């Protein structure tokens, strides 16, 4: 049965029919991620002309001014993917992932377990979550195939990606890490808010628990009946049957002295020890001052310690490079979008207009929805905070709203629509051998069905 022409099962539950309908629409209409970036560029350009009343030449200048603005951040993002991938593929870690991934006995259980991997991984670190969710999806599919069980591979991969919707409430929250740093660009407007306050408050804790329960159940019930599962494509079968390059043992019999030095675990452990000494010293003298660089450093040295052999670690990094191809190409394009919406004043117009119709009660929800919309154009937590943060905090101060809750609402909106934004799925798709249109129907369904959790939380829960 062709994936693009699957017949809806009239006897299936509502979630099955809803997910199937969106999956078919996605297969038919969803462009590739790079095309999406160009479409957003055109939309931002036209928005600047029509709403901000800027000239075409002004918009071109704003576009190029922002084009290279995310280079440092793109390197941080790339390292997050690479170091997370290396850890997820370390032989010891892979062994435990496979044990758990062998537990599901059918497709719905596989989708639920994949969602749990992705969500819990994202709570630790978004880069780790992307890779762990993808690797778990791949291993679950391999296990189900060995058992001769019919399953919907795109849904299982989409489930593993679900954590992208809620990572901004976890340990690697870029907005939370930013406002916890003394001297951050909004300190005079909102002060410095310790990361522990951002992370541990009634609203955030409640939402983290809710997202660890509800989306996995949604993925479970979205899974179609076995007879409605599409046949695996030949290229998908090739990915599932590919040998695991990360667990290949190195035979050093007959190796030269240089080769033995290159594979020496002593060097690897010494380098990891050096990194751990600094990390421990940093926490002991500066407190729990996580930032993106420190998080990447932790994952780098943990990965080196897990492999021991530096040459094998470098090989694991090399095998994960494909997962950042889209980041390298598309981040300049999104930097251009960021430049146009920031320098033209387009974000001020959209966000300021919505804030002007807010009351203290509706402001958190409107801030969340505004952030969800802006995320489609600026798919970066830190980048979005740079353009929306000043407007959100100024509006909060004007109407007496809580600045911490406002920050969390921007963070939640930034992550919610990640499931409708194919940019962050690039690494997942590379690992699992699928295209954006294969999973986007399901991810959008999960996003829409999970939306009430965010909306009720930001409206009624205190911080």
């Amino acid at each position: 049965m062709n994936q693009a022409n699957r017949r809806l099962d009239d006897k299936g539950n509502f979630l099955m029919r809803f997910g199937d309908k969106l999956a078919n629409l996605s297969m038919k209409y969803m462009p590739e991620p790079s095309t999406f970036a160009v479409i957003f560029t055109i939309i931002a350009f036209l928005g600047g002309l029509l709403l901000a009343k800027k000239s075409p030449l002004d918009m071109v200048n704003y576009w190029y001014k922002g084009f290279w603005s995310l280079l440092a951040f793109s390197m941080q993002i790339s390292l997050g993917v690479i170091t997370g991938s290396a850890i997820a593929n370390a032989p010891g870690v892979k062994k435990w992932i496979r044990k758990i991934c062998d537990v599901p006995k059918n497709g719905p259980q596989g989708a639920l377990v994949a969602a749990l991997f992705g969500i819990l991984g994202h709570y630790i670190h978004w880069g780790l979550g992307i890779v762990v969710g993808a690797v778990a999806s791949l291993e679950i599919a391999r296990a189900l195939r060995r058992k001769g069980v019919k399953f919907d591979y795109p849904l299982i991969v989409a489930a593993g990606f679900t954590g992208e919707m809620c990572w901004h409430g976890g340990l690697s929250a870029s907005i939370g890490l930013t406002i916890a740093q003394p001297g951050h660009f909004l300190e005079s407007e909102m002060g410095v808010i310790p990361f522990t306050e951002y992370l541990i408050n009634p609203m955030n804790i409640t939402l983290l628990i809710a997202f660890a329960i509800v989306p996995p159940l949604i993925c479970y019930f979205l899974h179609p009946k076995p007879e409605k599962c599409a046949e695996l494509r030949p290229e998908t079968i090739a990915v599932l049957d590919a040998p695991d390059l990360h667990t290949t043992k190195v035979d050093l019999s007959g190796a030269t002295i240089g080769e033995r030095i290159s594979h020496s675990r002593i060097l690897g452990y010494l380098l990891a020890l050096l990194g751990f000494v600094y990390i421990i010293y940093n926490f002991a003298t500066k407190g729990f001052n996580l930032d993106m660089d420190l998080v990447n450093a932790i994952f780098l040295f943990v990965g080196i310690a897990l492999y021991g052999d530096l040459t094998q670690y470098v090989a694991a990094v090399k095998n994960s490079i494909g997962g950042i191809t889209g980041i390298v190409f598309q981040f300049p394009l999104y930097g251009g979008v960021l430049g146009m919406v920031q320098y033209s004043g387009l974000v001020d117009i959209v966000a300021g207009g919505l804030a002007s119709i807010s009351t203290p009660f509706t402001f958190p929800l409107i801030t969340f929805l505004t952030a969800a919309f802006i995320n489609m154009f600026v798919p970066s937590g830190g980048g979005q905070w740079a353009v929306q943060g000043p407007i959100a905090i100024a509006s909060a101060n004007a109407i007496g709203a809580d600045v911490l809750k406002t920050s969390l609402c921007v963070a939640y909106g930034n992550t919610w629509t990640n499931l409708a934004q194919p940019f962050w799925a690039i690494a997942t798709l590379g690992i699992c051998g699928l295209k954006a249109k294969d999973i986007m129907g399901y991810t959008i369904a999960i996003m829409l069905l999970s939306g009430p959790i965010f909306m009720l939380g930001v409206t009624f829960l205190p911080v």
Side-chain angles (χ1 to χ4, degrees), residues 53-67:
K53 306 301 182 182
K54 300 297 182 180
S55 70
L57 185 57
D58 283 338
M59 294 307 295
V60 171
N61 285 328
Y62 298 150
W63 173 72
Y64 192 76
K65 187 176 180 180
F67 200 77

Side-chain angles (χ1 to χ4, degrees), residues 129-346:
I130 287 178
V131 179
V132 165
V135 170
S137 300
L138 189 64
E139 294 300 331
I140 288 168
R142 286 171 171 167
L144 292 176
R145 189 161 181 261
R146 287 194 300 269
K147 297 172 184 176
V149 175
K150 294 280 287 184
F151 59 93
D152 192 307
Y153 184 52
L155 173 59
I156 290 176
V157 174
F161 183 65
T162 300
E164 262 304 290
M165 179 174 57
C166 47
W167 69 272
H168 227 144
L171 290 171
S172 62
S174 56
I175 291 177
L177 293 171
T178 297
I179 63 178
Q181 292 179 341
H184 70 86
F185 68 94
L186 288 176
E187 182 177 0
S188 60
E189 288 80 15
M190 63 183 297
V192 174
I193 299 177
F195 187 63
T196 50
E197 291 186 19
Y198 176 95
L199 193 66
I200 305 173
N201 59 76
M203 184 173 76
N204 196 50
I205 295 298
T206 301
L207 290 180
L208 289 180
I209 294 172
F211 275 104
I213 298 172
V214 178
L217 292 176
I218 290 173
C219 294
Y220 179 92
F221 289 108
L222 272 176
H223 196 282
K225 294 182 177 181
E227 61 270 20
K228 291 300 175 182
C229 292
E231 296 296 333
L232 296 174
R233 298 193 297 255
E235 58 268 30
T236 300
I237 294 174
V239 171
L240 295 179
D241 291 347
D244 189 352
L245 300 176
H246 296 280
T247 59
T248 302
K249 292 184 178 180
V250 179
D251 182 10
L252 293 178
S253 58
T256 65
I257 295 176
E259 290 171 336
R260 291 182 181 277
I261 293 174
S262 297
H263 288 281
S264 171
R265 290 183 176 271
I266 295 175
L267 294 178
Y269 291 141
L270 283 175
L271 181 59
L273 178 62
L274 186 65
F276 290 145
V277 167
Y278 173 77
I279 291 167
I280 294 170
Y281 169 78
N282 178 81
F283 286 146
T285 57
K286 300 179 182 179
F288 191 66
N289 64 329
L290 281 176
D291 58 26
M292 195 167 295
D293 289 334
L294 192 56
V295 169
N296 280 341
I298 292 170
F299 275 75
L300 172 67
F301 295 119
V302 167
I304 291 173
L306 286 172
Y307 284 85
D309 185 329
L310 284 175
T311 300
Q312 284 192 305
Y313 182 77
V314 172
V317 169
K318 181 179 179 180
N319 288 331
S320 66
I321 290 294
I324 67 168
T325 302
I327 295 174
V328 172
F329 173 71
Q330 291 182 52
F331 243 98
L333 296 179
Y334 280 113
V337 173
L338 174 61
M340 286 191 287
V341 299
Q342 180 178 12
Y343 299 120
S344 70
L346 193 57

Side-chain angles (χ1 to χ4, degrees), residues 69-80:
S69 63
L70 298 178
L71 281 181
F73 186 65
S74 65
M75 186 61 176
Q76 290 176 318
I77 298 299
S78 297
L79 283 173

